[in-house]
Amino acid sequence: MNEAENTLSIVALGGVNEVGKNMYAVQYADDIVVIDCGSKFPDESLLGIDLIIPDITYLQENKEKIRALVVTHGHEDHIGAIPYILKQLKMPIYATRLTLGLIEVKLKEHGLLRETQLITIDSDSSLELGMTRLTFFKTNHSIPDCLGIAFHTPEGTVVHTGDFKFDLTPVNDQYPDIHKMANLGKNGVLALLSESTNAERPGFTPSERFVGEHIEEAFNKAHGKVFISTFASNVHRVQQVVDAAIKTNRKLALLGRSMVNVVSVALELGYLTIPDGMLIDANEVNQMAPERVAILCTGSQGEPMAALSRLSSSKYRQVEIVPGDTVILSSSPIPGNERNVARIIDNLFLLGAKVIYGSGSVTGMHVSGHASQEELKLMLTLMKPKYFIPVHGEYRMLHQHRLLAESVGVEQENIFIVNNGDVVDIHNAVARQTRKIPSGNIFVDGLGIGDVGNIVLRDRKQLSEEGMLIIVIHLSKTEGKIVSGPDTISRGFVHARHSEELLHDVNQLVTTTVHNLEGTKVNQWKVIKKSVKESVGKFLYTETKRRPMIVPIIIEV
Amino acid sequence: MNEAENTLSIVALGGVNEVGKNMYAVQYADDIVVIDCGSKFPDESLLGIDLIIPDITYLQENKEKIRALVVTHGHEDHIGAIPYILKQLKMPIYATRLTLGLIEVKLKEHGLLRETQLITIDSDSSLELGMTRLTFFKTNHSIPDCLGIAFHTPEGTVVHTGDFKFDLTPVNDQYPDIHKMANLGKNGVLALLSESTNAERPGFTPSERFVGEHIEEAFNKAHGKVFISTFASNVHRVQQVVDAAIKTNRKLALLGRSMVNVVSVALELGYLTIPDGMLIDANEVNQMAPERVAILCTGSQGEPMAALSRLSSSKYRQVEIVPGDTVILSSSPIPGNERNVARIIDNLFLLGAKVIYGSGSVTGMHVSGHASQEELKLMLTLMKPKYFIPVHGEYRMLHQHRLLAESVGVEQENIFIVNNGDVVDIHNAVARQTRKIPSGNIFVDGLGIGDVGNIVLRDRKQLSEEGMLIIVIHLSKTEGKIVSGPDTISRGFVHARHSEELLHDVNQLVTTTVHNLEGTKVNQWKVIKKSVKESVGKFLYTETKRRPMIVPIIIEV
């Protein structure tokens, strides 16, 4: 495979045609560099699943070629799968200080910290990994310390943007490396992978500073306690809450495990500045004048176990929301979370709070961390890529991003909308998308990784919607005759009005069904089970229009 | 109870602190008039439930006093429970022609049409129902033929708005009876019940005509086939689609059962005007030039079985979406439906269609049927009620509506935010909210009404998230010793990697557990079951972090 040796391959392992679970790989000759290792939350159809992570069969099959996992930033959709993947495949991890700090928290929880090689990089780093050299550029996003990555290979340069926006007035002076980006474009970018989260959104995403002004104003106006809820990882938002509290002479309490965790990592690493004596314990809130306190909490997405949800239902032991308090939702509900967030707002109003909620652009309390259409065009214009692969997004977002790329001059035939598992091979400056590698969703359920499959999910769905009926039949070993019973046990299925009558009829039917099959051989219990399932299923559907799972159990006596 | 005889009572049976399931009653002395009889769709936590309807215990207990069910309009959240409620309680139904037409379709399906008394009214009707006289006024909404209701009682006048907006340039000249409303207010309204759906939305909801202009423009621009999806019951929207098709010289095909049903009722009753020869069959679409065809279909909320969803996944037999076709979503996703709608848009783009989607105010393809804040203030100003009860909405909407009422001069202490089951009693012009009547959610599941309760739902939830393990134990009748087995059967629960090993360990554990209880009396099998459940449950949680439902079955041998 002489040719393969100098082919540049871009592999999508996760994150296209979906939001979350980001994982890509860039391979040149025998060197594979993995980008990100994210998880995704299941939707309600995936009953009982805790987390979804990428299928890494391809990486396992090529593990001797893997030089590094490079992580662009510390959000769950980029780092959430790391502990699960590391259990299957060891890789050294390269990331910035804050990103590594957040990864360390995870590795500690999974007892993997000691055995994992962690290498701190920054935007000035340059890594030689086999024949590929990596350089980096700073981007803005809703978490500090984000990187874009440039892969310099003999075939040409590939750029992966990570998540970004162009915040030209950023908090903490974390400016995007726009000159570096321009320089990459000037020197020639063979292929660009750019994120598509906000590709449907016209215009330019407002600066994070826009939010700071509104938080301060709300803190000023508030008479009682102020509660503000946001993503813990949005360290710049947290800093602005701290600043508003300082200016309005309020102490700050932190509620929620992830808020406490992230703030402590960010403080320790110097990404947050909080004056001594500013932070108070949740226990101290009640001892202070309400107008001297602000409370920063988790749960802005309506998560039922998070601080805001517990506060809204008066279940937070140390702190109470009372009439006159103000609650600010500094966030936008992620699609699917709307109902949970709405429930919380209802409850907050019931408690008599003033609630500031709704679209961030109206309340001024939230801005997105992702580039809108004009910024995506700016990135494309800076990079002037020959080939373009929109990543991070569902199909309509990738599609809109393609239209944006065309509008700034990328050739239509040079744009690849790929699926997870697709590979774009570039050889002698010609790109082709022909190969596929294994890919997919691995379900994490409890301690099990990948052991819940479609049959289990199908069973769970039926059980959840229709319940089940266990039918125990005692058959004589020799004659196949019913000796006693049958006995029926139902769970999640009843038909209250006539349930006794109904189950009596079921028993009758089972007896008749088995009787008709009398003489069936012992090794053909399967036939009896199938007949019982079918006849009882049909009967119950006619009577109740429900299809409980029917589990016949034959006991040989 | 002399006093009760001339007390005016307003009863909320459904529709407050929720969206949907609207049902209220106005009682004066011994005359009860019921308003609306709506259903609600369950959220994903109500596993396997088809529909939610109001608890009518109060009405059943007072059935000799019920004079009528008066229905304000033909939407599901106002008529959806009628067939289920009629099976428990007979009432004559009063409604306008279109509303009755839609109710008749339901009654036919449930075989109730013959036995039900249906009385057609219009906005000029006046009904004497016992000591209460009912008059009506026209309102605009996203379905024609809507009524507001005035209850003239010796104690004073109660007004229920139904659903409304103030569309001052309505389609089909269905103007709101603004002078009648003003007159009611002039003569004195004791209590107003007004809908709160859009109480969070500032401004004035745009006219339905705004949409018509944009549909026509899109039809003009489209080169291939045009698909447009909307609620079938939005007859004015349908009329505007018809009109746009006429103007752009396209024939119109209707896809989806409810679209065909509603259009046929609306045509028959004269609420729709469609020229002869305009409608074509789905089979004919492929025989025509694409630019001569428009297709009006159901499924704008992403319903998986509706026409648009099937079209988007190329599963609609007679009609296909091909590159160059245009698809218009003339709707806004109802909270909870966003993901399903997004999936469809992804698939439509994959088919190569041009898709017009997103916020109706941006695309011009949808306007709400509900009054925004300025219109709610207009209604309150017209009616000048002494007492105000905001209805139709979750708590935050009722709360915002209260603030609007205060802003136009309703006394704060005269505003009642009630719960389902609350009664507001007015006697000698003084209102009190003290009594409660039975109320709640009745679940419809298959053919069963109200037979699925919390235990069944809890079981379904556990089954759905964790699966189950059936453990069959054969015990000797006399000694309580294990004779054979135990046998374990799992559904929706596995731990693939070690499943055999794991189940082996479970069997061992069961054997030990039962052995330790040896000698337990036959009538105490319960003790054995409980011990097995506990020990196996603990073991599985430690091993797998899952809690499957454990069903021990003891067979006496």
Side-chain angles (χ1 to χ4, degrees):
Chain A
M1 279 242 300
N2 246 336
E3 191 182 302
E5 270 173 24
N6 52 6
T7 290
L8 170 63
S9 301
I10 298 164
V11 182
L13 291 156
V16 286
N17 290 314
E18 65 184 332
V19 171
K21 204 178 118 238
N22 288 294
M23 193 175 205
Y24 306 87
V26 173
Q27 176 166 14
Y28 182 80
D30 278 342
D31 305 309
I32 297 176
V33 178
V34 182
I35 308 163
D36 291 336
C37 185
S39 60
K40 183 166 89 162
F41 290 106
D43 66 28
E44 59 273 16
S45 73
L46 296 171
L47 297 162
I49 301 297
D50 297 324
L51 210 61
I52 303 173
I53 61 174
D55 183 333
I56 56 156
T57 306
Y58 176 76
L59 298 179
Q60 286 173 306
E61 287 170 354
N62 292 278
K63 62 181 168 197
E64 73 290 352
K65 295 182 186 162
I66 298 174
R67 305 291 160 245
L69 165 62
V70 186
V71 181
T72 59
H73 65 284
H75 277 152
E76 289 300 312
D77 52 335
H78 297 258
I79 70 170
I82 288 178
Y84 304 97
I85 297 296
L86 282 188
K87 284 173 194 166
Q88 306 166 56
L89 179 70
K90 303 289 160 210
M91 304 180 273
I93 304 177
Y94 294 78
T96 56
R97 284 200 309 142
L98 180 65
T99 308
L100 278 188
L102 295 169
I103 293 171
E104 280 176 13
V105 173
K106 288 185 181 294
L107 295 179
K108 247 181 236 167
E109 279 173 12
H110 285 80
L112 293 165
L113 186 55
R114 203 96 69 83
E115 63 194 68
T116 308
Q117 197 188 344
L118 301 174
I119 302 104
T120 306
I121 53 173
D122 61 33
S123 60
D124 293 326
S125 298
S126 172
L127 305 178
E128 301 283 343
L129 298 170
M131 292 173 78
T132 301
R133 187 169 57 90
L134 273 64
T135 61
F136 304 90
F137 53 92
K138 271 191 241 171
T139 64
N140 302 114
H141 185 44
S142 45
I143 186 169
D145 233 9
C146 297
L147 292 180
I149 311 173
F151 299 82
H152 307 275
T153 77
E155 180 68 38
T157 300
V158 175
V159 172
H160 184 288
T161 62
D163 282 355
F164 73 97
K165 66 192 273 192
F166 282 103
D167 191 338
L168 304 178
T169 55
V171 176
N172 286 1
D173 295 333
Q174 296 233 350
Y175 290 90
D177 276 335
I178 200 160
H179 297 98
K180 269 194 182 174
M181 299 182 210
N183 207 44
L184 281 166
K186 208 183 83 186
N187 293 332
V189 171
L190 182 61
L192 173 69
L193 285 71
S194 181
E195 71 124 328
S196 313
T197 315
N198 273 356
E200 295 171 286
R201 204 177 290 188
F204 207 100
T205 304
S207 168
E208 178 65 29
R209 277 199 197 274
F210 170 80
V211 178
E213 295 158 16
H214 288 88
I215 293 176
E216 192 184 324
E217 196 187 323
F219 273 47
N220 254 322
K221 280 190 191 161
H223 300 300
K225 302 196 287 295
V226 188
F227 294 78
I228 180 164
S229 180
T230 193
F231 279 121
S233 62
N234 197 333
V235 174
H236 294 140
R237 186 74 47 88
V238 172
Q239 183 67 62
Q240 299 198 103
V241 171
V242 170
D243 295 346
I246 295 173
K247 286 194 191 160
T248 58
N249 196 18
R250 290 171 184 266
K251 300 280 185 184
L252 188 66
L254 306 175
L255 305 189
R257 194 171 65 103
S258 71
M259 190 61 79
V260 173
N261 279 349
V262 174
V263 167
S264 100
V265 170
L267 263 179
E268 196 184 308
L269 299 178
Y271 290 88
L272 259 180
T273 312
I274 305 184
D276 286 346
M278 172 90 196
L279 291 179
I280 59 171
D281 200 72
N283 292 317
E284 299 173 72
V285 169
N286 283 334
Q287 298 151 27
M288 304 196 54
E291 67 278 11
R292 295 279 73 88
V293 186
I295 294 107
L296 177 59
C297 62
T298 56
S300 61
Q301 291 299 320
E303 304 91 328
M305 299 307 295
L308 187 63
S309 172
R310 287 190 287 146
L311 284 164
S312 74
S313 49
S314 303
K315 280 178 192 153
Y316 207 97
R317 206 165 38 83
Q318 302 102 323
V319 185
E320 208 183 8
I321 295 179
V322 297
D325 287 346
T326 302
V327 183
I328 303 168
L329 277 83
S330 182
S331 60
S332 278
I334 293 169
N337 295 344
E338 292 86 352
R339 289 192 200 188
N340 282 343
V341 173
R343 270 316 67 66
I344 287 176
I345 297 165
D346 286 344
N347 288 334
L348 293 170
F349 275 129
L350 269 167
L351 292 174
K354 181 185 166 195
V355 189
I356 303 176
Y357 68 103
S359 162
S361 59
V362 175
T363 63
M365 291 302 180
H366 183 65
V367 294
S368 171
H370 297 277
S372 298
Q373 292 180 345
E374 295 307 315
E375 294 156 278
L376 295 173
K377 281 153 71 178
L378 177 55
M379 180 63 85
L380 283 153
T381 301
L382 284 165
M383 293 293 171
K384 295 187 300 179
K386 177 170 181 187
Y387 296 109
F388 175 54
I389 305 174
V391 294
H392 300 185
E394 298 180 354
Y395 187 80
R396 64 196 181 284
M397 306 168 190
L398 306 177
H399 172 79
Q400 299 286 11
H401 205 173
R402 162 167 56 193
L403 299 181
L404 295 173
E406 288 176 24
S407 78
V408 297
V410 181
E411 298 287 342
Q412 199 174 352
E413 65 271 21
N414 287 353
I415 302 174
F416 293 88
I417 296 200
V418 298
N419 254 315
N420 292 328
D422 282 341
V423 182
V424 175
D425 290 313
I426 311 182
H427 185 62
N428 291 337
V430 178
R432 281 194 197 85
Q433 180 202 329
T434 46
R435 288 194 293 145
K436 270 197 103 56
I437 57 139
S439 74
N441 290 327
I442 304 295
F443 301 137
V444 179
D445 177 3
L447 292 184
I449 304 173
D451 55 358
V452 171
N454 287 332
I455 293 176
V456 170
L457 284 174
R458 198 193 56 205
D459 281 354
R460 286 185 182 176
K461 189 170 154 58
Q462 188 184 3
L463 289 167
S464 73
E465 295 183 351
E466 313 280 345
M468 65 164 181
L469 200 68
I470 303 169
I471 302 171
V472 185
I473 307 163
H474 302 79
L475 286 185
S476 69
K477 211 175 267 182
T478 42
E479 298 163 87
K481 273 191 189 169
I482 290 193
V483 176
S484 71
D487 300 312
T488 44
I489 297 160
S490 77
R491 286 288 184 282
F493 167 76
V494 281
H495 200 66
R497 268 151 234 264
H498 316 285
S499 69
E500 273 187 47
E501 210 178 297
L502 189 79
L503 294 182
H504 175 80
D505 290 351
V506 167
N507 287 346
Q508 284 281 12
L509 183 62
V510 172
T511 307
T512 315
T513 307
V514 177
H515 182 76
N516 291 341
L517 290 167
E518 220 162 81
T520 303
K521 288 202 184 111
V522 174
N523 58 356
Q524 295 199 322
W525 286 166
K526 266 193 186 170
V527 177
I528 295 182
K529 283 189 187 176
K530 192 159 169 272
S531 298
V532 167
K533 258 184 166 172
E534 280 173 4
S535 60
V536 175
K538 209 179 286 173
F539 171 74
L540 289 178
Y541 186 71
T542 311
E543 290 293 307
T544 69
K545 285 279 173 296
R546 297 178 202 171
R547 299 189 190 281
M549 177 180 289
I550 295 161
V551 186
I553 297 178
I554 294 181
I555 309 289
E556 295 180 0
V557 187
Chain B
M1 280 242 299
N2 248 335
E3 191 183 301
E5 269 173 23
N6 52 6
T7 289
L8 171 62
S9 301
I10 298 163
V11 182
L13 291 156
V16 286
N17 290 314
E18 64 183 331
V19 171
K21 201 177 121 243
N22 288 293
M23 193 175 207
Y24 305 88
V26 173
Q27 176 166 13
Y28 182 79
D30 279 342
D31 304 310
I32 296 176
V33 179
V34 182
I35 308 162
D36 291 336
C37 185
S39 60
K40 184 166 88 162
F41 290 107
D43 66 28
E44 60 272 16
S45 72
L46 297 171
L47 297 162
I49 301 295
D50 297 324
L51 210 62
I52 304 173
I53 61 173
D55 182 334
I56 55 155
T57 305
Y58 176 75
L59 298 179
Q60 285 174 306
E61 286 170 353
N62 291 278
K63 62 181 168 198
E64 73 290 350
K65 295 182 186 161
I66 298 174
R67 305 290 161 245
L69 165 62
V70 187
V71 181
T72 59
H73 64 283
H75 277 153
E76 289 300 313
D77 52 336
H78 296 258
I79 70 170
I82 287 179
Y84 304 97
I85 297 296
L86 282 187
K87 284 173 192 165
Q88 306 165 57
L89 180 68
K90 304 289 160 207
M91 304 179 273
I93 303 177
Y94 295 78
T96 56
R97 284 200 308 142
L98 180 66
T99 308
L100 278 188
L102 295 169
I103 292 171
E104 280 177 12
V105 173
K106 286 183 182 296
L107 294 179
K108 246 181 235 166
E109 278 173 14
H110 285 79
L112 293 165
L113 186 54
R114 203 96 69 84
E115 63 196 68
T116 308
Q117 198 188 343
L118 300 174
I119 303 104
T120 306
I121 54 173
D122 60 32
S123 60
D124 292 328
S125 299
S126 173
L127 305 178
E128 301 282 342
L129 298 170
M131 292 174 78
T132 299
R133 187 169 58 89
L134 272 64
T135 62
F136 303 91
F137 53 93
K138 272 191 239 171
T139 64
N140 302 113
H141 186 42
S142 45
I143 185 170
D145 233 8
C146 296
L147 292 180
I149 312 173
F151 299 81
H152 307 276
T153 77
E155 179 68 37
T157 300
V158 175
V159 172
H160 184 289
T161 62
D163 283 354
F164 73 96
K165 65 192 275 193
F166 282 102
D167 191 338
L168 305 177
T169 55
V171 175
N172 286 2
D173 294 334
Q174 295 233 351
Y175 288 92
D177 276 336
I178 200 160
H179 297 96
K180 268 194 183 175
M181 299 182 210
N183 208 46
L184 281 166
K186 207 183 85 186
N187 293 331
V189 171
L190 181 62
L192 173 69
L193 284 71
S194 181
E195 72 125 327
S196 314
T197 316
N198 273 357
E200 294 172 286
R201 205 177 288 188
F204 208 99
T205 303
S207 168
E208 178 64 31
R209 277 199 198 274
F210 170 80
V211 178
E213 295 159 17
H214 289 89
I215 293 177
E216 191 184 325
E217 197 187 321
F219 273 46
N220 254 322
K221 279 190 189 162
H223 301 298
K225 302 197 287 298
V226 187
F227 294 79
I228 181 164
S229 180
T230 194
F231 278 121
S233 62
N234 197 334
V235 175
H236 294 140
R237 187 74 47 87
V238 172
Q239 183 68 61
Q240 298 199 102
V241 171
V242 170
D243 295 346
I246 295 172
K247 286 196 192 159
T248 57
N249 197 20
R250 290 171 184 266
K251 300 280 185 187
L252 188 66
L254 307 175
L255 305 189
R257 195 171 66 101
S258 71
M259 189 60 79
V260 173
N261 278 350
V262 174
V263 167
S264 101
V265 170
L267 262 181
E268 197 183 308
L269 299 177
Y271 289 89
L272 258 180
T273 313
I274 304 183
D276 287 346
M278 171 89 196
L279 291 180
I280 59 171
D281 200 72
N283 292 319
E284 299 173 72
V285 169
N286 283 334
Q287 298 151 29
M288 305 197 51
E291 68 278 10
R292 297 278 72 87
V293 186
I295 294 107
L296 178 58
C297 62
T298 56
S300 61
Q301 291 300 319
E303 305 91 328
M305 299 307 294
L308 187 63
S309 173
R310 287 189 286 145
L311 285 164
S312 75
S313 49
S314 303
K315 279 179 193 153
Y316 207 97
R317 205 164 38 83
Q318 302 102 325
V319 185
E320 208 184 7
I321 296 179
V322 296
D325 287 346
T326 301
V327 183
I328 302 168
L329 277 84
S330 183
S331 60
S332 278
I334 292 170
N337 294 344
E338 292 85 353
R339 290 192 199 188
N340 282 344
V341 173
R343 273 311 72 64
I344 287 175
I345 297 166
D346 286 342
N347 288 335
L348 292 170
F349 276 129
L350 269 168
L351 292 175
K354 182 185 167 195
V355 189
I356 302 176
Y357 69 102
S359 162
S361 60
V362 175
T363 63
M365 291 302 179
H366 182 66
V367 294
S368 170
H370 297 278
S372 297
Q373 292 180 345
E374 296 307 315
E375 294 158 278
L376 295 173
K377 281 153 70 179
L378 177 55
M379 180 63 85
L380 283 154
T381 301
L382 285 165
M383 294 293 172
K384 296 187 299 176
K386 178 170 180 186
Y387 295 109
F388 174 54
I389 306 174
V391 294
H392 302 184
E394 299 181 352
Y395 186 81
R396 64 196 180 283
M397 306 169 191
L398 306 177
H399 173 79
Q400 299 287 9
H401 205 173
R402 162 167 58 189
L403 299 182
L404 295 173
E406 287 177 25
S407 78
V408 298
V410 181
E411 298 287 341
Q412 197 175 353
E413 65 270 23
N414 288 352
I415 302 173
F416 294 88
I417 296 201
V418 298
N419 253 315
N420 292 327
D422 282 341
V423 182
V424 175
D425 290 312
I426 310 182
H427 184 62
N428 290 338
V430 178
R432 279 194 199 86
Q433 180 202 328
T434 47
R435 287 196 292 145
K436 272 199 100 59
I437 56 139
S439 73
N441 289 327
I442 304 294
F443 301 138
V444 179
D445 177 3
L447 292 185
I449 304 173
D451 56 357
V452 171
N454 287 332
I455 292 176
V456 170
L457 284 175
R458 199 194 54 203
D459 281 354
R460 286 185 183 175
K461 189 170 155 56
Q462 189 184 3
L463 289 167
S464 74
E465 295 183 350
E466 313 279 345
M468 65 163 181
L469 199 70
I470 302 168
I471 303 171
V472 185
I473 307 164
H474 303 79
L475 287 185
S476 70
K477 211 175 270 184
T478 44
E479 299 163 85
K481 274 193 189 168
I482 290 193
V483 177
S484 71
D487 299 312
T488 44
I489 297 160
S490 77
R491 287 286 184 281
F493 167 75
V494 281
H495 199 67
R497 269 152 232 264
H498 316 286
S499 67
E500 275 186 47
E501 209 177 298
L502 189 79
L503 294 182
H504 176 79
D505 291 351
V506 167
N507 287 345
Q508 284 281 12
L509 183 62
V510 172
T511 308
T512 316
T513 307
V514 177
H515 182 75
N516 290 341
L517 290 167
E518 219 162 82
T520 303
K521 291 208 180 105
V522 174
N523 57 357
Q524 295 197 323
W525 285 166
K526 267 193 186 168
V527 178
I528 295 182
K529 282 189 188 176
K530 193 158 168 270
S531 300
V532 167
K533 258 185 168 171
E534 280 173 4
S535 59
V536 175
K538 209 178 288 173
F539 172 74
L540 288 178
Y541 186 71
T542 312
E543 291 293 308
T544 69
K545 285 280 172 293
R546 296 177 204 172
R547 299 188 189 282
M549 179 181 286
I550 295 161
V551 186
I553 298 177
I554 293 182
I555 309 289
E556 295 180 0
V557 188

